[in-house]
Amino acid sequence: MKYNIAVVMGGFSPEYEVSINSGNVVYKNLSKIKFAPYKVIITREKWVVIGNDEQEYPIDLNDFSANVNGEKLTFDAVFNAIHGAPGEDGPLAGYFELIGMPQTSSGQFESALTFNKAECSMLLKGQGVNIASAYYLASHENYNSVEIISQVGLPCFVKPNRSGSSIGVTKVSLPEELSPAIEKAFSIDTQVIVEAMVKGVEVGCGVTNHQGYIKALAATDIVPKNDFFDYESKYSGQSEEITPARISEDTYNQIMEESEFIYESLNLNGLARVDYIVNESGVPFFIEVNTVPGLSEESILPKQAKYAGISLGDLFDQTIEQTLASKK
């Protein structure tokens, strides 16, 4: 018997197209012998499953089923490929928890925590993880640019607190650039982080529990097309991404171990990626956790899996198998 697997993609955020790409890669690589995968597209306007006839069929939210050509289609598990809201920030995980549907990503609380950069960073800082100096703002607060710069310095980065794919992120080099950057970030989220710039190399480390235990796949260093690893750099295919990362062996091993520690400490599940900046002294500074990392052909984690000797098919199949096994 094949398991029916819903590969959910789309979402409510500007990462919609990235999610569609990730979902299509998962759908293409999942074993058609073990599983019967279906594309499920979620937007604010509709939740639909794409049938074998390529037609859209509405999802019944009472039990996450669909009526396809007069027959009820139900699912055994969900592969979550939605970046941003609602797949990475908690609501979708909460819905699946309520209806008892196994899904591949972290739970509701863990997803919400890691998607909130400020809360996640403060928690990890208390556990000894290196965090860059930062200033946190809410949209209802007045702020003083001089005070912010005195705390974080220049250059600095202004980021929406709850967003992914570097959407709304600005590098600020001059005092007069700060306010426009903050307003840009506020157009994405009601909370903003102004973060000190750590000069160094950006490194991403994929982590998974797809074989039943927590394992870092590899660390990759990133040479962005632009001034920093922004949205265009991530998805234009023009950035240089080198696996294994060109850092010292000691720093490489530290990042691998710390990524596993962060994954375990935050009680994560499925595929995740932990990002750092390694400064000129070889010290890694935590940036963020991605609990639904990019899975498209241009994404980092699929390349790390290949480096670790794991095909995409095996990675995705075993992620589903682990999800099914953990819910029995």
Side-chain angles (χ1 to χ4, degrees), residues 221-278:
D221 77 83
I222 301 151
V223 182
K225 169 180 179 278
N226 296 327
D227 194 25
F228 66 97
F229 200 40
D230 59 5
Y231 183 91
E232 182 185 4
S233 293
K234 287 183 177 179
Y235 301 111
S236 67
Q238 296 179 42
S239 293
E240 188 179 8
E241 298 162 3
I242 297 96
T243 306
R246 298 167 298 178
I247 53 182
S248 72
E249 183 178 355
D250 286 347
T251 301
Y252 190 97
N253 291 336
Q254 180 184 350
I255 284 175
M256 296 283 278
E257 292 172 8
E258 187 160 286
S259 297
E260 292 176 352
F261 168 77
I262 288 171
Y263 186 105
E264 183 174 23
S265 296
L266 298 176
N267 193 34
L268 304 186
N269 185 57
L271 305 174
R273 196 186 73 241
V274 187
D275 294 338
Y276 305 85
I277 291 288
V278 177

Side-chain angles (χ1 to χ4, degrees), residues 9-245:
M9 60 189 86
F12 307 161
S13 79
E15 297 179 85
Y16 176 89
E17 292 298 337
V18 180
S19 172
I20 294 293
N21 289 338
S22 290
N24 283 329
V25 170
V26 173
Y27 175 84
K28 181 176 73 174
N29 285 279
L30 271 177
S31 170
K32 306 304 187 292
I33 297 173
K34 299 176 184 177
F35 309 117
Y38 291 85
K39 299 178 185 180
V40 174
I41 298 175
I42 292 177
T43 68
R44 291 192 185 278
E45 292 74 34
K46 61 184 180 182
W47 292 34
V48 295
V49 60
I50 308 300
N52 294 327
D53 55 5
E54 297 300 318
Q55 298 301 306
E56 294 184 351
Y57 297 91
I59 292 288
D60 182 348
L61 294 180
N62 290 301
D63 61 358
F64 197 68
S65 67
N67 187 313
V68 179
N69 294 323
E71 294 188 6
K72 184 173 182 176
L73 172 64
T74 60
F75 298 100
D76 298 292
V78 169
F79 197 113
N80 178 17
I82 294 183
H83 314 303
E88 197 169 4
D89 58 345
L92 195 64
Y95 163 70
F96 288 132
E97 287 170 13
L98 281 173
I99 66 170
M101 175 66 67
Q103 59 98 24
T104 57
S105 296
S106 297
Q108 179 182 20
F109 173 77
E110 293 82 2
S111 297
L113 172 64
T114 53
F115 202 69
N116 188 311
K117 295 180 179 68
E119 296 291 341
C120 186
S121 293
M122 286 187 283
L123 176 63
L124 292 176
K125 185 175 182 180
Q127 297 185 344
V129 176
N130 291 320
I131 308 291
S133 176
Y135 195 101
Y136 306 110
L137 290 168
S139 58
H140 64 273
E141 296 177 323
N142 295 320
Y143 61 88
N144 184 304
S145 296
V146 174
E147 180 182 337
I148 294 172
I149 291 171
S150 69
Q151 179 170 323
V152 303
L154 291 174
C156 63
F157 286 99
V158 178
K159 307 175 180 180
N161 187 37
R162 298 165 297 186
S163 182
S165 292
S166 297
I167 293 168
V169 176
T170 304
K171 180 180 178 182
V172 172
S173 299
L174 300 171
E176 58 267 26
E177 297 171 348
L178 182 61
S179 289
I182 290 172
E183 295 311 310
K184 177 181 176 181
F186 274 140
S187 72
I188 304 295
D189 188 20
T190 58
Q191 300 174 12
V192 165
I193 300 176
V194 185
E195 193 173 75
M197 176 180 168
V198 178
K199 188 175 181 181
V201 178
E202 183 160 351
V203 174
C205 183
V207 189
T208 176
N209 64 349
H210 73 281
Q211 292 180 323
Y213 57 90
I214 297 168
K215 180 176 176 58
L217 294 171
T220 298
D221 77 83
I222 301 151
V223 182
K225 169 180 179 278
N226 296 327
D227 194 25
F228 66 97
F229 200 40
D230 59 5
Y231 183 91
E232 182 185 4
S233 293
K234 287 183 177 179
Y235 301 111
S236 67
Q238 296 179 42
S239 293
E240 188 179 8
E241 298 162 3
I242 297 96
T243 306

